[in-house]
Amino acid sequence: MAVFELKHPLIEHKLSNLRNKHTDTKLFRESLNEIAGLMVYEATKHLPLKEIETETPIQKTTTKVLDKPITLVPILRAGLGMIDGILQLLPNAKVGHLGVYRNEETLEPVYYYAKMPTNVVESQVFVIDPMLATGGSMELGFKAFLTKGTPKQIHVCCVIASPEGIDHIKKTFPEDKTTIWCAAIDPGMNEHKYIVPGFGDAGDLCYGEKL
């Protein structure tokens, strides 16, 4: 299973905005969406293409288009904060939704909702969450896919990841079908299962604190 830590100057600059505790909601949302767009540009470099015949104003020629459909699956709530930035580059992508929240007593992810496009099995699937901490939410996402079948390829897209989360994905996702993309791999997690140094709770920072 390949793991790519995307060290791009623009990504690192915008990641500083996310990490800064003084960043306001507007700048956090903007930076998160911009990072998502830059990341998906890198993550789509190796997507399969097919040739088609195209007629230009001058003559017919052979051009290339994406060979497989694309499905984006944000993990609610925080994953929604990356969708607009990705859809700017992949406007025809289908979007599924996976609802997972964290039990604050057990610190374990709790699944409550899944809705997937009908063509998810034939798709290049991008599972999207700003944080890959324990990897439990991503695992629940993969199990939701299995109710329809295993997708052609799974791209785990997160802004920051912990080594523990990466190891969990390697143990629970199909090795030959999965790639992990992240902007930074942080050293680990604290006793509350937050990534350190991280940037806190991305869902709260995007949409306000939960009741």
Side-chain angles (χ1 to χ4, degrees):
M1 183 181 299
V3 179
F4 293 96
E5 186 179 14
L6 303 174
K7 292 296 185 181
H8 189 287
L10 291 179
I11 291 177
E12 298 217 35
H13 175 83
K14 296 173 190 302
L15 182 56
S16 292
N17 293 337
L18 301 188
R19 293 195 191 274
N20 189 337
K21 70 176 184 179
H22 300 296
T23 294
D24 61 21
T25 299
K26 179 177 183 293
L27 180 58
F28 188 92
R29 286 178 182 168
E30 290 173 349
S31 299
L32 185 59
N33 264 307
E34 289 165 355
I35 289 173
L38 291 166
M39 287 182 63
V40 81
Y41 175 79
E42 295 292 331
T44 52
K45 277 187 174 179
H46 303 295
L47 291 185
L49 296 169
K50 64 180 179 181
E51 293 185 344
I52 62 170
E53 186 179 84
T54 300
E55 189 167 357
T56 78
I58 309 301
Q59 66 175 50
K60 290 183 179 180
T61 188
T62 300
T63 59
K64 296 179 180 180
V65 296
L66 293 174
D67 187 39
K68 301 295 181 184
I70 293 175
T71 297
L72 311 178
V73 183
I75 296 179
L76 308 178
R77 294 184 298 165
L80 289 175
M82 299 173 68
I83 283 294
D84 287 346
I86 295 174
L87 285 174
Q88 287 184 17
L89 291 180
L90 300 172
N92 294 320
K94 303 295 184 184
V95 180
H97 293 87
L98 179 70
V100 179
Y101 70 89
R102 187 171 89 148
N103 184 313
E104 294 298 336
E105 294 182 1
T106 66
L107 305 182
E108 294 295 324
V110 179
Y111 161 84
Y112 67 91
Y113 180 79
K115 201 72 171 179
M116 302 294 165
T118 56
N119 67 342
V120 66
V121 175
E122 292 78 33
S123 294
Q124 295 272 335
V125 173
F126 291 77
V127 189
I128 300 158
D129 196 339
M131 301 165 291
L132 175 59
T134 65
S137 297
M138 290 288 183
E139 181 185 2
L140 291 177
F142 177 57
K143 289 179 177 177
F145 300 144
L146 292 181
T147 62
K148 295 183 178 295
T150 305
K152 296 291 184 184
Q153 193 73 28
I154 303 169
H155 302 270
V156 174
C157 294
C158 55
V159 176
I160 53 173
S162 73
E164 297 92 332
I166 291 172
D167 288 343
H168 190 77
I169 296 301
K170 288 181 176 179
K171 293 174 183 175
T172 55
F173 279 55
E175 184 175 359
D176 61 332
K177 291 177 176 280
T178 307
T179 305
I180 299 173
W181 304 88
C182 59
I185 300 174
D186 282 4
M189 295 183 290
N190 62 19
E191 66 274 17
H192 302 294
K193 303 298 183 184
Y194 281 108
I195 299 175
V196 177
F199 47 64
D201 189 310
D204 286 357
L205 291 165
C206 275
Y207 304 115
E209 294 185 7
K210 302 178 289 292
L211 293 174

